[in-house]
Amino acid sequence: MADDTAAGSPAEALERASNNDGLDFLARAGFAVMALLHILIGLIALRLVFGRYGDADTSGALGPLASSAAGPALMWGGCAACAALALWQLCEATVRVRRKPAGTRLTKAVSSGSLVLIYGTVAATFAAFARGRGRDSGDSTAHFSSTVLASPAGRPALTAVGLLILGIGVYFIYKGARRKFRSELRHFAGTRRGQAIEVLGVTGHVAKGIALILAGGLFVFAAIHNSPGESTGLDGSLKRLLEAPAGPYIVAVIATGLICYGAFALVRARYGRM
């Protein structure tokens, strides 16, 4: 079998193509778009704490923007940026790790592969709003759960989806608590600004992890009870949490953390290593 690391091989050509400045720029733009989405969703979640109306999810954040005069341009721009970020993660999971040990390749395939799905879904949501076909994220999530439950795999498949999201949430908490994001922002190492960014990183990663665990838990709950309507995404989980005695305080903490994560991700988009 020919060595796929040899110069001129298809894998080598794909790796060179994935390292071009254009994709790097668009991927950074995708990071910035995702950062702004986290900030908007966090602000909407804070509105919920104070009894205001809103949907603390992607559709709730994009709806008002899509209806503005610049809506279509903003939506198509966000779609392109997030699609580029998904492509960049796909390259991370495939051609860029082919020389690494098998264990590293597997870990990267799972982590970056999950991000390909997430960023690709957000890109599709931007495209739907650009075409005037945007829909409530909670309804979309419930429809997805209903489709999975109706498939031959049924409950085990939906449980696996929920556990995957739970696992990603646990990883974010671990990454934040252990400050594993430091390598992404060496530009500010040893500076006062770096200390402030580190606080944003810890708070933001932990809060996002908790939010993902809540959303993943609803998928598992929906699978156990064969009730797709129970899986309503982040917005549904936060609104359900608000009904608990200490719920508003917890939601406020999560909302603030999502805003912190968005601020951290904006810095990451500009100065972080790709």
Side-chain angles (χ1 to χ4, degrees):
M1 181 181 296
D3 184 2
D4 68 356
T5 65
S9 71
E12 187 73 21
L14 285 172
E15 184 176 3
R16 287 196 301 270
S18 72
N19 291 330
N20 72 79
D21 292 339
L23 180 59
D24 181 276
F25 175 82
L26 287 174
R28 287 184 185 277
F31 271 122
V33 168
M34 294 299 299
L36 292 172
L37 278 178
H38 279 84
I39 292 173
L40 290 174
I41 291 171
L43 291 172
I44 294 170
L46 281 179
R47 285 170 55 89
L48 296 178
V49 173
F50 292 102
R52 304 286 294 279
Y53 174 77
D55 293 324
D57 53 27
T58 303
S59 64
L62 294 185
L65 294 175
S67 61
S68 67
L74 290 173
M75 295 302 102
W76 284 120
C79 174
C82 290
L85 184 54
L87 176 60
W88 186 87
Q89 289 291 352
L90 180 61
C91 294
E92 281 285 284
T94 54
V95 295
R96 294 200 190 108
V97 296
R98 57 200 170 86
R99 299 186 187 91
K100 302 291 184 180
T104 302
R105 291 200 302 271
L106 177 60
T107 301
K108 197 62 179 175
V110 173
S111 61
S112 290
S114 299
L115 292 175
V116 170
L117 295 176
I118 292 170
Y119 298 144
T121 299
V122 175
T125 303
F126 268 106
F129 274 96
R131 297 195 305 269
R133 299 176 182 176
R135 57 186 296 188
D136 181 82
S137 294
D139 293 341
S140 298
T141 304
H143 176 72
F144 168 79
S145 297
S146 179
T147 301
V148 173
L149 285 173
S151 70
R155 292 186 183 183
L158 191 60
T159 300
V161 171
L163 292 177
L164 175 61
I165 296 173
L166 280 166
I168 296 173
V170 171
Y171 170 73
F172 265 90
I173 293 175
Y174 167 78
K175 184 177 180 179
R178 298 298 299 272
R179 294 167 172 79
K180 293 293 185 179
F181 54 80
R182 282 176 172 169
S183 61
E184 299 170 3
L185 284 168
R186 291 175 180 167
H187 180 82
F188 297 102
T191 66
R192 289 185 178 180
R193 188 177 299 179
Q195 293 173 356
I197 294 170
E198 186 168 301
V199 171
L200 290 175
V202 172
T203 306
H205 279 84
V206 171
K208 181 171 181 176
I210 294 172
L212 287 169
I213 288 172
L214 290 173
L218 288 183
F219 277 110
V220 175
F221 188 86
I224 293 173
H225 295 276
N226 196 28
S227 177
E230 298 289 346
S231 57
T232 51
L234 176 61
D235 179 65
S237 63
L238 292 179
K239 287 176 178 174
R240 181 174 296 185
L241 185 57
L242 281 171
E243 300 171 0
Y249 301 102
I250 299 173
V251 173
V253 170
I254 294 174
T256 303
L258 289 175
I259 295 171
C260 288
Y261 181 83
F264 169 85
L266 278 176
V267 178
R268 164 82 170 84
R270 173 64 180 85
Y271 296 103
R273 65 174 177 83
M274 294 297 292

